[in-house]
Amino acid sequence: MSGKNMEEKVEQATNSKNISLPVSRVRLIMKSSPDVSCINQDALFLTTKATELFVQHLALSSYKNGSGKETNTLSYSDLANVAEETETFQFLTDILPKKILARDYLKSLEEMEKDDENL
Amino acid sequence: MDGDSSTTDTTQLGITGEYMTGGTYVLQTQDDDGDESFNDHEDGNGSKDYFREQDIYLPIANVARIMKNAIPQTGKVISGNFKNVSCNLGSKDAKECVQECVSEFISFMTSEPLKLYLQKFREAMKGEKGITPVTVSEGLGEELTDESFTGQLPAGLITADGQQQNVMVYTTSYQQIPGVQQIQFS
């Protein structure tokens, strides 16, 4: 569909009172942080809403940033790339590592060992 | 063939089938803050040592739906399994990763403003500064450093019961500051 339609949809979701994520689950995750005992209802709602926006933002940024534009797909590598390149998503680099073939990794390990021997 | 060498096949992982029944497994919480957390179990939170996988992540269906609505209509989300390249959001990899990212984001959002708040609380208790309100957007802004993202949060917040408010309060177990019950966010 046209980009304008999509932006309207996103804007609608942004301003809507409706949330698509289970609030109780969000509270559970928040409570898993240390030192948190009580969570205000408004804070919980805000976090849920912000999480929704975050998912939209991440998906859209990865999609726009990635090679999927031609193929119209969003793949894991798009996510990994955006995590590394965008400052906002830097906190995700640990859980979105770039994937390499095992044999490539083993090869680079061997090369590193050879370099160490040569030193 | 896909280069993804990871596997969830239990026989290859060397785990017996019994551990993986029902799709649940025991997961230890990550106590990154070190030793203090370990000593706090007598406050009744000892039971939160173990979380099931479905408890620490948001439901994948909801996450997938939000993702699908964010990208253009004809967009698809694929997995690392190249057998189903054009799998129309039926695939797992990218969605599962976003699921993990979401949980990470929530933990991040919970801990960062809290840190900022505690820092200001300590400064206030020292008497060096007056008690100042802490804004969520401050906490977000410092860490995420993306104004356009923090700008998306509506300035007026519609609460769950439909009332429009623009305040938010974080409380923790040990801080009760008189006069600082309202925290504004811009």
Side-chain angles (χ1 to χ4, degrees), chain A residues 58-103:
Chain A
L58 178 62
L60 201 54
S61 302
S62 308
Y63 181 78
K64 283 186 180 167
N65 195 20
S67 57
K69 262 183 287 192
E70 303 89 43
T71 52
N72 242 354
T73 54
L74 174 70
S75 68
Y76 175 84
S77 53
D78 295 333
L79 291 172
N81 284 332
V82 89
E84 190 171 311
E85 289 161 18
T86 313
E87 210 176 327
T88 319
F89 297 123
Q90 292 269 316
F91 72 104
L92 294 171
T93 45
D94 285 340
I95 55 178
L96 286 178
K98 295 202 174 180
K99 289 184 184 176
I100 64 173
L101 289 172
R103 59 171 176 265

Side-chain angles (χ1 to χ4, degrees), chain A residues 22-92:
Chain A
V23 166
S24 52
R25 193 70 65 81
V26 174
R27 185 196 280 125
L28 192 67
I29 299 173
M30 286 176 86
K31 282 176 94 90
S32 73
S33 286
D35 294 334
V36 176
S37 65
C38 315
I39 300 172
N40 181 268
Q41 272 297 102
D42 294 335
L44 183 58
F45 183 79
L46 172 65
T47 307
T48 310
K49 194 69 192 174
T51 311
E52 218 179 284
L53 296 176
F54 169 74
V55 174
Q56 287 173 0
H57 189 239
L58 178 62
L60 201 54
S61 302
S62 308
Y63 181 78
K64 283 186 180 167
N65 195 20
S67 57
K69 262 183 287 192
E70 303 89 43
T71 52
N72 242 354
T73 54
L74 174 70
S75 68
Y76 175 84
S77 53
D78 295 333
L79 291 172
N81 284 332
V82 89
E84 190 171 311
E85 289 161 18
T86 313
E87 210 176 327
T88 319
F89 297 123
Q90 292 269 316
F91 72 104
L92 294 171

Side-chain angles (χ1 to χ4, degrees), chain A residues 1 6 9-10 14-17 20-22 25-26 28-47 49-60 63 71-76 79 86-89 91-92 95-96 99-102, chain B residues 3-5 33 37 48 51 54-59 62-63 65-67 69-78 93-94 97-98 100-111 114 136 144-146 149 152-153 157-160 162 165 167-173:
Chain A
M1 284 285 117
M6 181 186 64
K9 216 182 348 167
V10 170
T14 309
N15 296 330
S16 156
K17 286 190 249 187
S20 327
L21 299 169
R25 193 70 65 81
V26 174
L28 192 67
I29 299 173
M30 286 176 86
K31 282 176 94 90
S32 73
S33 286
D35 294 334
V36 176
S37 65
C38 315
I39 300 172
N40 181 268
Q41 272 297 102
D42 294 335
L44 183 58
F45 183 79
L46 172 65
T47 307
K49 194 69 192 174
T51 311
E52 218 179 284
L53 296 176
F54 169 74
V55 174
Q56 287 173 0
H57 189 239
L58 178 62
L60 201 54
Y63 181 78
T71 52
N72 242 354
T73 54
L74 174 70
S75 68
Y76 175 84
L79 291 172
T86 313
E87 210 176 327
T88 319
F89 297 123
F91 72 104
L92 294 171
I95 55 178
L96 286 178
K99 289 184 184 176
I100 64 173
L101 289 172
Chain B
D4 184 357
S5 57
D33 283 350
S37 321
K48 66 177 186 178
F51 290 101
Q54 54 257 48
D55 286 344
I56 62 171
Y57 296 142
L58 297 180
N62 301 45
V63 171
R65 194 187 327 133
I66 299 173
M67 284 173 75
N69 289 336
I71 62 184
Q73 277 290 11
T74 51
K76 297 166 189 168
V77 180
I78 66 169
D93 203 21
C97 290
V98 172
E100 289 176 23
C101 293
V102 161
S103 295
E104 179 73 19
F105 173 75
I106 293 173
S107 303
F108 192 67
M109 276 252 308
T110 312
S111 61
L114 188 61
V136 170
L144 297 181
T145 66
D146 184 346
F149 179 60
Q152 277 184 36
L153 294 174
L157 175 66
I158 310 289
T159 60
Q165 301 190 13
V167 294
M168 189 191 81
V169 177
Y170 270 102
T171 61
T172 65
S173 54

Side-chain angles (χ1 to χ4, degrees), chain B residues 114-132:
Chain B
L114 188 61
K115 266 195 245 170
L116 195 63
Y117 179 79
L118 290 176
Q119 183 193 345
K120 298 209 176 204
F121 169 70
R122 288 183 191 119
E123 282 172 9
M125 288 300 106
K126 280 188 218 161
E128 289 167 6
K129 291 184 180 183
I131 297 175
T132 53

